[in-house]
Amino acid sequence: MTTSPPAHHPTGAEPTPEPTPEPPEEHPAPEPTRTARAHSFNAAAAQYAANRPSYPPALFDAIEDLTGRPLTGTRVADIGAGTGIATALLHARGADVVAVEPGDGMAAQFRRTLPGIPVIRGTGDDLPLADASVDLVTYAQAWHWTDPARAVPEAVRVLRPGGALALWWNTDALDVPWIAEAAARIAHHFGIDVSAEKRNVNARAADPTGLLDFTRHTVRWSRRVPVDTHLANIGSHSVFLVHGADHTASFLAEEREHLLRAFPDGFVEEVYEVILLLARTPA
């Protein structure tokens, strides 16, 4: 989770009062703003840290292969670090990591979880880092909160010659029947297209300017977790966090019944495809 452009708050009022209208027909609540979704994680940082999936070792193997260098000793800036899930894995591979995170709640959880790794408050659109100061800039599950027109030049600015920008997302494996069925229920309840996340994870969406030449790599992996962990995981996503406690709770209760009928032992295997986009800068 990370950055988004500042919200605009228009103000104003009708110059003259209008007659009281007939009661309007009920309409759906307006779609939460991108800014509201970006900041929704701060109130759920502990839930996020405890239940979100990690990333497989094969992802970091792919990063090393594509950059042509080991992570050990590599100076990494992990942007939109959230609670530190990716930061911890990069650190475990021997990287020298500094984290950048804009949210109060997420940064506080990061410090509790990873007290030995520095976390700086900031956004990907305006990085609080010196020019040519890192070898690798990473965004785990976070690039979609940036403005690429600002974030791409910022990443290039802070990278040393021959450095790399790596973006990745855990996406649901929608070819697994139970996952596709669950996604359809989410789409129906919240009015969102869950499958769009995969369609939008591509080089053109990541960098509409075409400044960087991204290579795409996919890693499939899974984890077996209790149903309640799975529900807490999906409940930590922004679409759930911004739709109100009652609306979300009603869905999660119904979803729990669906899943326990399908998995009476109380465990599900979440299957993911990590989509990695990586671009190198000139040496």
Side-chain angles (χ1 to χ4, degrees):
M1 168 288 144
T2 186
T3 100
S4 66
H8 297 286
H9 302 287
T11 60
E14 294 287 344
T16 56
E18 297 289 340
T20 303
E22 293 295 319
E25 294 181 356
E26 186 174 344
H27 294 288
E31 185 68 19
T33 67
R34 183 167 171 270
T35 298
R37 290 184 62 182
H39 290 285
S40 66
F41 301 103
N42 288 301
Q47 177 183 347
Y48 189 111
N51 299 289
R52 280 292 184 103
S54 184
Y55 303 101
L59 168 66
F60 300 97
D61 294 341
I63 291 171
E64 290 182 330
D65 288 343
L66 292 171
T67 58
R69 62 178 298 167
L71 283 166
T72 299
T74 295
R75 177 67 169 166
V76 181
D78 188 29
I79 317 301
T83 62
I85 294 172
T87 310
L89 295 171
L90 289 161
H91 178 73
R93 295 284 291 232
D96 178 13
V97 191
V98 59
V100 176
E101 167 56 39
D104 292 338
M106 299 295 262
Q109 183 67 41
F110 183 105
R111 292 188 180 99
R112 284 191 290 270
T113 305
L114 301 168
I117 298 178
V119 57
I120 304 170
R121 303 298 300 283
T123 76
D125 296 342
D126 186 16
L127 289 172
L129 301 170
D131 294 359
S133 58
V134 298
D135 305 302
L136 177 65
V137 172
T138 60
Y139 281 82
Q141 219 79 16
W143 183 255
H144 50 284
W145 300 121
T146 69
D147 173 4
R150 299 171 63 189
V152 168
E154 275 295 272
V156 172
R157 178 184 66 79
V158 304
L159 283 168
R160 294 168 179 158
L165 170 63
L167 325 173
W168 67 85
W169 294 261
N170 268 324
T171 65
D172 293 329
L174 295 173
D175 60 323
V176 177
W178 81 263
I179 294 176
E181 292 164 8
R185 291 191 292 270
I186 293 172
H188 177 75
H189 193 86
F190 292 98
I192 62 168
D193 182 359
V194 178
S195 64
E197 67 173 0
K198 274 196 176 179
R199 295 199 302 271
N200 292 336
V201 178
N202 57 63
R204 182 180 294 276
D207 179 17
T209 68
L211 180 65
L212 296 176
D213 183 14
F214 282 101
T215 297
R216 179 181 171 120
H217 184 86
T218 301
V219 177
R220 192 176 179 99
W221 74 288
S222 66
R223 66 170 189 167
R224 182 173 168 81
V225 296
V227 164
D228 287 342
T229 298
H230 170 72
L231 294 173
N233 166 30
I234 64 173
S236 73
H237 287 254
S238 64
V239 68
F240 288 80
L241 296 173
V242 298
H243 270 90
D246 291 344
H247 192 59
T248 293
S250 67
F251 173 83
L252 293 176
E254 292 175 9
E255 187 65 10
R256 191 173 193 277
E257 294 180 5
H258 279 294
L259 294 175
L260 288 176
R261 284 194 295 270
F263 303 100
D265 67 348
F267 283 81
V268 299
E269 185 167 358
E270 298 175 343
V271 184
Y272 296 100
E273 288 186 342
V274 185
I275 299 176
L276 167 68
L277 299 175
L278 188 142
R280 297 182 66 179
T281 58

